Amino acid sequence: MAVSRRSFISSVVAGSALAAVSTSELLAARPVHAASPPGDVVGKISVGYQGWFSAPGDGAPIGGWWHWSRDRFQPPSPSNTTIVSWPDMREYTRGYTTSYPNLGNGQPATLFSSYDQQTVDTHFRWMQEHGCDTAALQRFNPFGDEGPTRDAMAVKVRSAAERFGRKFYIMYDVTSWTAMQNELKTDWTTKMSAYTTSPAYARQNGKPVVCIWGFGFDDPGRPFAPAPCLEVVNWFKAQGCYVIGGVPTYWRTGVNDSRPGFLDVYHAFNMISPWMVGRTGTLDGLDSFYTNVNVPDQADCNARGIDYQPCVMPGDLSSGHRYHGDFYWRHLYNMVRLGAQGLYVSMFDEYNEGNQIAKTAETAAWVPAGTGIRPLDEDGVACSSDYYLRITADGGRMLKGQLALTPVRPTPPVVGGPGPGPVNLAAGKPTSASSQNGPYAASNAVDGNPSSYWESSGSLPQWFQVDLGASTAVNRVVLRLPAGWESRTQTLTVQGSTNGSSFTTVAGPTGYLFNPASGNQVTVDFASANLRHLRLTASANTGWPAAQLSQVEVYGGVVSEPGTPPSAPGALTVTAKTATSVSLAWTASVDDIGVTGYQVRQGGTVVGTPTGTSYTVGGLSPATPYSFSVVALDAANNVSPPSNTLAVTTDTAPPPTTNLALNRPTAESGHVQAYGSVNVVDGNPNTYWESPNNAFPQWVQVDLGAPTSIRRLVLKLPPSSAWGTRNQTVTVQGSTNGSSFGTVVGPSTLTFNPASGNAVTVALPATTTRYVRVLIGANTGWPAGQLSELEIYATP
C-alpha cells in the first residue's frame, strides 16, 4: 500500500494575525466571486469518500482486514489496528467480529466492510439525509493488488449514488504512483470514463469532474516534476473534463508542504482544493489560516477565473480537536464568509485519522472497553452519533444562502437539546455556596468541565448560587453530575433574586434522578422569571450525604427589547506575556439583558471572543509592539464602548530549539504497506515507519542537507497505550557523503514505554554529519524496526 494522504500530516500554521470578525461583518452579505455557475461542485458540499474497509468473508478481492488492521491478515485488536475512532454500527445489517474487547455495554466489537453494498447504501443515505451533495471517490494506484477491489467499489458507489440521488466523481491520488503520467490516462480511458454516462456522475460547466490529488507536494511519495504534472492536467482538460487539483496548503507561495516551481500547474486546474488535515487543531489556528492563507488564495483564484474549493474538517477526534462541534463550524463559517465556490469535507469515513463525519460511537458504552478510543462525548458534552452529519447539513445551508451567515454554531449536539452559542448564562460567572468539601469548590460547577464538581460539607440542606451579572429572563436550568457516577436522586429547589438577598421560589422542591444511562443530566423547566442570582438548594441526596453538582447551566427565555449596549469593560491590563503571546484581563461589563461575551481587538482586528474576563492572544511576533482593547456584547448583539487601549511589546524570542529533521528527505532499508520512512519526519507521532518483518537489521535515515553539528536524537513510537512497552536495539550512524557511515553511538537497548510517551532521548557526542542513520537490530514488540518520529537537535 502506498503512503496515502492520511499519512501526510504536518502542523504548519502561517502568520500571526487572526481573522477579523466585527459586528458589521456578521451582518454583511457574504462575498460572491462566481468563476463558474452553480453545478455539482460549485455551490455544493463535496465529501471525501474512502470506501476502503474490508473484512474476511466479505468477498473483496484484496482479502483480509483491509485498512482496519496493520497486519490485514490478523483481526483488528488494540495492538493490531490502523483506526483511532469507532463507528456507530447500529445501522449496518452485517458486522464482522474483531479481536477487540467487547463494547462498554457488553456487546461484541464488530466492524463494517465497505465492500458490502448495504454499507455503501447506508453511507449514501446518510449523505442524502444530511445535505452531502457530492462524493469524491478516492482512487489510489489501481495497477497493484488493490486495483480489483477499487474497481468493484466504483460500481458500488455508482449504484448507491443513483439510488439516493447523490453525485460522485473520481478523485485520483498519485501518492507513490510512479508511472502515473501514463497509467492515469489508461485507467481513465479504459475504465473510469465509462462512469460519466451515469446520471449520478458529477458535472461542472457541463463537463465530467475529475480530481487529481498530490501534485506539487514536497514529499518523497510525490516526486514528480512540474512538466509531467502539467501535461496530465492538460490531457484531462482535452478529454473534456473539469479538473480539480488537490494541492498543498501552501500551493500559492511554494513553501512548507509545496515544492517551488508548480504555480503553472496549479493555475492550470479549473478548481483548486488545498489540503488542510493536520495543519491545525485550534480555533485560533483556523482564524490564522483564514487571514493569512485562505483570503489571499481566494483572491488569486478570483483573479484567474479559477474556482476555489477549500478543505473543511471536523477535527481529529482522537486528539481532542473537535470542541463538540465548534471547530468544524468555525471552519465552515470561515470558508463561507470567504466566498469559496464550494467546500470539500475531509473526510466522510476516515476512521483511521479520526476526522470522519459518518456516524460515530457516542459514549464509552459504544467503544471497546479499556481501549481509550474517544467517543463523541470525549470532552463531556453529549453528542448524538449523527452530530457531525447534522453540522454538515447546516453548513451546506449556510453555503447556499438558506441559513444566515453566522459564527455561532446553530446545530445542537443532541437533537432536541439546548441550542449552542452564548446561551448558557452561567458559564464562567461568579459563584458562592453554603459550604464546600475540600477542593470541590462552587466555581467548578460553571467551568465547562463536567468532570469537576461542587460538593458541600455538613448536613443538608445546602445551597449553590451563581451571579449572572445582570437581571435576565430565565426559564430553564440544566444540571449535571460526572458521567461515570452511579444513579442518585437529589431533592432540589430553584430560587431567584435580583439583589442577592431576597429570594423567591421559581421551582419548588422536587426529587431529580441523575442516571448515567441518560448522561447524569437533568433539566428543570419553569415559568420565565427575571433574576440575577440563581440559587439551588439541595435538601436530600440518595447517593452521598452532601449536595453535588458538576455543571449548572442557565438558559434564558424572552429578554427585553434590544437597544441599550453594555457598559465598557474596565481596567484592561496585561497579566503575562511571552515572545509570541500576551495575556489580558479586564473587569466585567454590565447590561440590562445580560453580557454574553467579549471581543478582544488587536488594533482594529478581532482576535478573540471569550465569554469570561481574560484572554491570551497567541501567534504574535517577538519584540513587536501591539495595541489591544476589549468590547462587550449582549444577548441582542449590542456592542459596548471600548475599554482603555493598552500598548504592549512582546518579549524577545528565546534561542531556537529546532528539530533539524522535520520534513527533511529520508531513506530506508525498506518498509511494509503504507509505513514509509517519510513518516518519521512529518511531525505526527501517530504515523510511523515499519521495516519488513523478520529481517534484522533494518535502518532509516535523514538527510540534513549539509554537514551539521548535532548533539541529541529523540526517537518516538506512537504514544497510544495500544503500543505496549518494547525494547529496540539501536545503533546511531553518521555520514557526510551518504555512502560511508561511521558509528556515532554503539548498539544500545532502548525501552519505549507508553507511560513515558513512548519517547527515548539519545545523547550524542559532538558530531558533525549530514546523513543520520538509525540502525535497528532487534525489537521485542514486533519483528521489525519501528519509529514514528526521528528528531535531531543541535543542542544537548
Side-chain angles (χ1 to χ4, degrees), residues 512-668:
Y512 296 98
L513 173 63
F514 293 82
N515 188 334
S518 56
N520 266 337
Q521 172 182 314
V522 301
T523 299
V524 183
D525 292 301
F526 45 85
S528 183
N530 199 51
L531 55 89
R532 171 175 174 171
H533 304 270
L534 183 135
R535 176 178 289 185
L536 295 158
T537 300
S539 56
N541 184 346
T542 63
W544 197 256
Q548 297 169 310
L549 293 169
S550 70
Q551 288 297 287
V552 175
E553 301 171 10
V554 180
Y555 296 92
V558 179
V559 298
S560 59
E561 288 297 317
T564 304
S567 64
L572 178 63
T573 57
V574 175
T575 57
K577 64 187 177 79
T578 68
T580 58
S581 67
V582 173
S583 297
L584 305 169
W586 57 91
T587 57
S589 299
V590 295
D591 185 76
D592 60 342
I593 59 174
V595 172
T596 58
Y598 298 87
Q599 290 181 349
V600 179
R601 297 179 175 180
Q602 176 187 313
T605 300
V606 176
V607 294
T609 55
T611 56
T613 56
S614 63
Y615 187 75
T616 297
V617 182
L620 305 178
S621 299
T624 302
Y626 294 93
S627 64
F628 300 98
S629 61
V630 179
V631 298
L633 289 79
D634 65 13
N637 279 328
N638 296 312
V639 181
S640 78
S643 68
N644 56 298
T645 299
L646 194 64
V648 59
T649 299
T650 51
D651 293 341
T652 302
T657 301
T658 303
N659 173 16
L660 303 175
L662 186 64
N663 295 323
R664 297 299 307 170
T666 62
E668 60 186 27

Side-chain angles (χ1 to χ4, degrees), residues 346-518:
S346 179
M347 301 283 288
F348 185 88
D349 55 342
E350 178 57 273
Y351 293 96
N352 307 87
E353 285 180 1
N355 64 342
Q356 74 287 344
I357 61 170
K359 295 188 181 183
T360 299
E362 300 170 345
T363 68
W366 295 100
V367 301
T371 58
I373 295 175
R374 292 190 182 195
L376 290 182
D377 69 345
E378 51 90 23
D379 66 351
V381 176
C383 302
S384 61
S385 67
D386 66 350
Y387 180 35
Y388 288 87
L389 290 168
R390 291 189 289 109
I391 294 178
T392 304
D394 286 339
R397 285 191 281 270
M398 186 166 64
L399 172 70
K400 297 164 188 173
Q402 299 162 357
L403 178 71
L405 180 66
T406 173
V408 179
R409 171 174 48 83
T411 319
V414 177
V415 176
V423 295
N424 176 13
L425 305 174
K429 295 297 174 62
T431 59
S432 56
S434 55
S435 65
Q436 74 177 59
N437 179 23
Y440 307 116
S443 59
N444 290 346
V446 295
D447 65 359
N449 179 5
S451 297
S452 66
Y453 59 94
W454 164 69
E455 182 174 287
S456 72
S457 60
S459 59
L460 297 174
Q462 299 282 344
W463 55 262
F464 163 91
Q465 184 172 309
V466 58
D467 179 358
L468 304 180
S471 293
T472 306
V474 172
N475 64 1
R476 178 159 47 95
V477 177
V478 177
L479 308 174
R480 304 178 193 270
L481 290 179
W485 286 17
E486 65 276 10
S487 294
R488 66 201 64 204
T489 296
Q490 294 192 77
T491 302
L492 301 169
T493 300
V494 184
Q495 295 178 302
S497 170
T498 57
N499 57 19
S501 56
S502 57
F503 285 81
T504 59
T505 297
V506 296
T510 304
Y512 296 98
L513 173 63
F514 293 82
N515 188 334
S518 56

